Amino acid sequence: MNDYIQKGTMDFRKANLALFAGAFSTFANLYMTQPVLPTLSKVFRISPATASLSLSLTTVALAISMLIVGSLSEAWGRKPIMTFSMIAVAILTLLIAFAPNYHMLLVLRIIQGVVFAGLPAIAMAYLGEEIEPASLGAAMGLYISGNSIGGLAGRIIMGTISDIFSWRIGMITIGVISLLVAIAFYFLLPASKHFKPEKLAFKPLVQSLVMHLKDPALLSLFGVGFLLMGSFVTMYNYIGFQLLDPPYSLSQTIVGWIFLIYLVGTFSSAWMGGLADNHGRYKILLSGIGLMFGGAALSLVGHLILKILGIAIFTFGFFGSHAIASGWVGRQATHDKAQASSLYLFFYYVGSSIGGTSGGIFWSKFGWGGVISIILIFLIVATVLTYMINQITSRNSAAQG
């Protein structure tokens, strides 16, 4: 009996809506502090680098937790962990809104980082188990779009409401929306039919992770993910500081809406992914990194329109490059592909944490030129690693063929 969820059915619509909402909520909460980093810096009288820890510590906690939560779900089930994650995230956002000081805010954000892992680590596994193979692509695409739209909406809601009222009201708004979304998620998501609980076994998990790390091509791909995300978060963490300052002196609301540039990534990830299928991953990944390099350099120009254009080109290149690199991981891994993808995401989010915070040191000492200099260094290293990946895979192909 075929009891997989099929396209066109009510269960398919419910599952897609639930996971889209879940992704929306997760990434809206994850990135909610990014547009208000200048505000946090001013309110708590801390440096930009210290303010960026409200995002960096959260993403590194998420990165570490994702390696563990996926294994826990093999024993405890998919839906219960995802539902708990979403409710806990919403409650923590409401608590963060009332944090009496910055230290407490950071502690709550670290706990939130751990809890965040419950959805991204499991959602794809749920889809792979419950959706019929012919409909999986459409379901996965909608889930991924929830990631980007959630991240975008969280930044815009936070930036706009904090400008009109305060950053605390902005967080309360996101927390209430997230709580309602979590309740809807619980009632909408169909229960798992194909999940088979397994015993918790961390030894095979560790052995598998170590084997992936011994593969030089995979390790280089993980490095590329680290550097791409490190560059991207650094750009968006500190562009707000520059645009709020003279000579631009833009409002918090307008700076929040700058994140609409993210929408170019929705197009570039699919378009450049298609180009990679036709012209090879190596050439198109290099092209994407080149676009990031050129866009970052263009953002050094003082004219606001050219600066925004540079950021748009940079963003276009990032999403395309990330799509190619993450897809290359799945092709390169010979076993435990899900674990290889988790490792890529681990390095990706650690890059976000380290790049995002180190960029603050460069901003404080050297201004926007310092921020762009660290981004360009990251991208040069990513280019070298991409060349190494191509050399390794070409040698392996020649040896096998």
Side-chain angles (χ1 to χ4, degrees):
M1 181 181 174
N2 181 9
D3 55 355
Y4 286 99
I5 299 173
Q6 298 178 342
K7 196 172 182 178
T9 63
M10 181 59 74
D11 273 356
F12 184 82
R13 287 191 288 272
K14 283 183 176 180
N16 275 288
L17 182 58
L19 288 171
F20 176 88
F24 177 95
S25 173
T26 298
F27 287 89
N29 284 276
L30 177 61
Y31 289 107
M32 68 182 178
T33 61
Q34 194 176 48
V36 292
L37 291 180
T39 302
L40 296 179
S41 180
K42 193 180 296 181
V43 168
F44 291 109
R45 297 178 183 176
I46 51 178
S47 70
T50 304
S52 74
L53 290 174
S54 64
L55 179 59
S56 297
L57 291 178
T58 310
T59 51
V60 80
L62 166 62
I64 294 167
S65 302
M66 281 186 71
L67 296 175
I68 301 166
V69 172
S71 297
L72 291 178
S73 77
E74 300 292 353
W76 295 350
R78 313 296 191 202
K79 185 174 178 178
I81 293 181
M82 287 192 284
T83 304
F84 169 80
S85 169
M86 290 182 64
I87 292 172
V89 161
I91 292 170
L92 283 163
T93 292
L94 292 171
L95 291 175
I96 291 165
F98 295 98
N101 54 57
Y102 192 64
H103 289 103
M104 180 57 68
L105 186 148
L106 287 184
V107 168
L108 291 170
R109 283 290 279 171
I110 292 168
I111 297 169
Q112 200 172 36
V114 174
V115 173
F116 273 131
L119 193 107
I122 300 168
M124 290 187 179
Y126 174 91
L127 287 170
E129 288 168 350
E130 305 301 327
I131 306 293
E132 66 165 351
S135 306
L136 185 57
M140 198 70 79
L142 194 60
Y143 168 71
I144 296 297
S145 70
N147 294 356
S148 58
I149 293 172
L152 172 63
R155 291 169 170 100
I156 289 175
I157 291 168
M158 194 67 195
T160 304
I161 292 181
S162 65
D163 195 22
I164 298 170
F165 300 104
S166 73
W167 67 272
R168 294 184 188 274
I169 298 295
M171 285 190 179
I172 291 170
T173 304
I174 290 177
V176 170
I177 292 171
S178 301
L179 198 55
L180 295 173
V181 167
I183 294 167
F185 176 90
Y186 174 77
F187 287 106
L188 282 171
L189 190 71
S192 297
K193 293 180 181 177
H194 299 273
F195 170 74
K196 295 177 181 176
E198 298 176 4
K199 281 189 175 181
L200 280 176
F202 285 103
K203 189 177 178 182
L205 169 69
V206 174
Q207 290 172 338
S208 169
L209 293 178
V210 170
M211 286 180 71
H212 286 315
L213 292 171
K214 287 181 178 178
D215 182 326
L218 274 179
L219 192 57
S220 298
L221 279 167
F222 299 154
V224 169
F226 174 97
L227 294 162
L228 291 179
M229 188 57 166
S231 304
F232 185 68
V233 169
T234 299
M235 171 71 82
Y236 277 95
N237 270 7
Y238 302 103
I239 187 60
F241 284 93
Q242 195 187 32
L243 295 181
L244 288 169
D245 286 349
Y248 308 106
S249 301
L250 299 180
S251 71
Q252 183 70 62
T253 299
I254 293 173
V255 171
W257 282 90
I258 293 290
F259 291 100
L260 273 176
I261 294 172
Y262 267 49
L263 293 176
V264 303
T266 306
F267 170 72
S268 72
S269 54
W271 183 66
M272 289 181 69
L275 287 178
D277 290 338
N278 295 323
H279 302 285
R281 290 181 291 275
Y282 173 60
K283 287 181 183 177
I284 306 304
L285 180 53
L286 276 186
S287 300
I289 295 172
L291 284 172
M292 291 179 71
F293 196 98
L298 183 59
S299 77
L300 287 169
V301 177
H303 194 284
L304 181 60
I305 299 299
L306 291 177
K307 189 179 291 291
I308 299 300
L309 177 62
I311 295 168
I313 293 169
F314 174 88
T315 304
F316 187 96
F318 166 75
F319 278 101
S321 300
H322 168 48
I324 295 165
S326 57
W328 205 341
V329 169
R331 295 292 296 271
Q332 180 63 28
T334 55
H335 60 91
D336 297 312
K337 292 178 185 287
Q339 299 231 335
S341 295
S342 293
L343 264 178
Y344 175 84
L345 289 173
F346 170 78
F347 279 90
Y348 178 81
Y349 284 118
V350 170
S352 166
S353 301
I354 294 175
T357 300
S358 59
I361 298 168
F362 279 74
W363 164 258
S364 296
K365 290 190 175 181
F366 309 109
W368 188 244
V371 171
I372 296 302
S373 68
I374 190 173
I375 288 173
L376 296 182
I377 290 167
F378 275 17
L379 294 175
I380 290 168
V381 178
T383 302
V384 173
L385 287 177
T386 302
Y387 174 77
M388 289 171 56
I389 296 161
N390 186 58
Q391 293 295 104
I392 294 164
T393 54
S394 297
R395 281 200 303 269
N396 290 346
S397 297
Q400 292 170 3

